[in-house]
Structure formats: structure tokens, C-alpha cells
Amino acid sequence: MSWKEKLGLVHIYTGNGKGKTTAALGLAVRMLGSGGRVIVLQFMKAPDVYGEQKKIKECGAVIESFGLPKFVHGKPEPEDIEAAKKALQRAREVVSSGEWDLVILDEICVALGFKMLGVEEVKELIENKAENTELVLTGRYCPEELFELADYVTEMREVKHPYQKGVLARRGVEF
């Protein structure tokens, strides 16, 4: 049995603490270093804004960003919901294809938290995952209903953060 035949588990990285995307991308680097194929679909992040987007491509991963160049605050606009639905449709294709060893759905849990996607839609996506595809879901607000479908659930807990002292997001650290 090859090492790739042992893949196929589901990971969730959630919580209010920093490091969810960072943990997922660390796993991506590990998979790439082992010769695996990796794709990252970003639900709430616009293309060419975040530091990881260029570098993860250089490492050999595919990254597709579906977010708009603005933050969603409060109630999402119709175009935010449309972007999330496009990302979900692409995720369905990618997750079920069997073409990828690791699929990261970055910030999909935030899209769920803002009610841009339905929990049942994401459950269905997980249930239709190709057998040997490792799947990672990231983002705050992950509904606990998804925990039962996951093999790994990691909650990042914020204990202290510079934002509490008024320090805004910094390039290279938070984005």
C-alpha cells in the first residue's frame, strides 16, 4: 500500500486564535515536500492580497481565491454570497475529483458563520470527498455539527493578541 492510499482524513482548524490558515499551509508544505498534489481554495480572501498566495504557488500548490477585495462586516452583500457559492461549487469539483492529495478550503467556516453557505451543503461536500483526498476546513465559527464528520478538530484559542492593544494586522504576520 502506497502512502497516498492512507490519505483521506478530514481536518478542521477553527477558533478565535491566530494560526488556522498558517497550520493548514504548514500541512500543505509537508504534503508538497512528500510529493503530493495540493490545492487551496480561499473563500473569503481576494487574490493577490495575502502573503501566502504567491509563496504557496512557488512551492508547487495551486491556489484559487474567491473573496472580494473587501471585508464582510455584519450582513454579507449579495456579491459576497455569490462569490462564496462559486467557491463552494469549485470545492465540490475539486474535493470529489480524486486528483488532489490535499485540499484546503481556507475560511470556509467564516462563510458558514456569515450564513453565506449552508451547513448541509458543506456536510454533503465532505461526504462526497474522494476516498484518498485529505481535506482541511479552516476559519472561525465552524459549526459543531461538522465536528462529527472530521477526524481532526483543532480549536485555536486566543489568550493574548496585539489587536487588544490597538495593533492592526501586519503584513507578513496576519496577512
Side-chain angles (χ1 to χ4, degrees):
M1 176 184 289
S2 86
W3 68 271
K4 288 188 177 189
E5 292 171 332
K6 295 179 183 178
L7 299 176
L9 301 183
V10 177
H11 308 237
I12 294 174
Y13 302 143
T14 192
N16 288 329
K18 181 181 173 353
K20 298 170 288 292
T21 297
T22 306
L25 293 175
L27 184 58
V29 169
R30 180 172 283 163
M31 182 66 71
L32 290 165
S34 296
R37 299 196 66 221
V38 176
I39 187 168
V40 180
L41 304 181
Q42 294 186 311
F43 278 72
M44 304 287 293
K45 294 177 177 173
D48 304 319
V49 174
Y50 297 86
E52 70 266 16
Q53 292 168 326
K54 177 181 176 189
K55 222 20 124 172
I56 199 73
K57 285 181 199 173
E58 290 175 9
C59 290
V62 171
I63 186 165
E64 300 175 15
S65 303
F66 292 84
L68 303 177
K70 64 182 181 75
F71 288 105
V72 176
H73 295 289
K75 188 176 181 200
E77 300 292 326
E79 59 268 16
D80 297 313
I81 295 168
E82 184 179 330
K85 295 287 185 188
K86 283 182 184 174
L88 181 64
Q89 182 54 42
R90 179 66 175 135
R92 285 183 181 120
E93 296 164 7
V94 165
V95 167
S96 65
S97 74
E99 183 181 343
W100 304 96
D101 299 307
L102 175 63
V103 176
I104 297 171
L105 304 181
D106 189 33
E107 307 295 3
I108 191 172
C109 299
V110 176
L112 284 166
F114 279 108
K115 308 286 189 236
M116 296 161 69
L117 303 173
V119 175
E120 291 304 316
E121 294 175 296
V122 177
K123 279 184 171 182
E124 183 181 311
L125 177 141
I126 295 168
E127 290 164 352
N128 291 319
K129 178 185 72 54
E131 183 180 357
N132 297 114
T133 297
E134 201 84 1
L135 177 63
V136 178
L137 289 72
T138 76
R140 298 169 191 259
Y141 319 124
C142 186
E144 289 191 18
E145 299 161 66
L146 294 182
F147 292 0
E148 65 193 50
L149 298 176
D151 300 288
Y152 298 86
V153 177
T154 301
E155 184 174 2
M156 309 318 199
R157 185 173 66 91
E158 180 179 288
V159 176
K160 187 176 181 180
H161 194 290
Y163 184 77
Q164 297 163 343
K165 294 181 181 179
V167 177
L168 299 180
R170 298 164 299 139
R171 176 158 294 286
V173 179
E174 282 86 20
F175 71 99

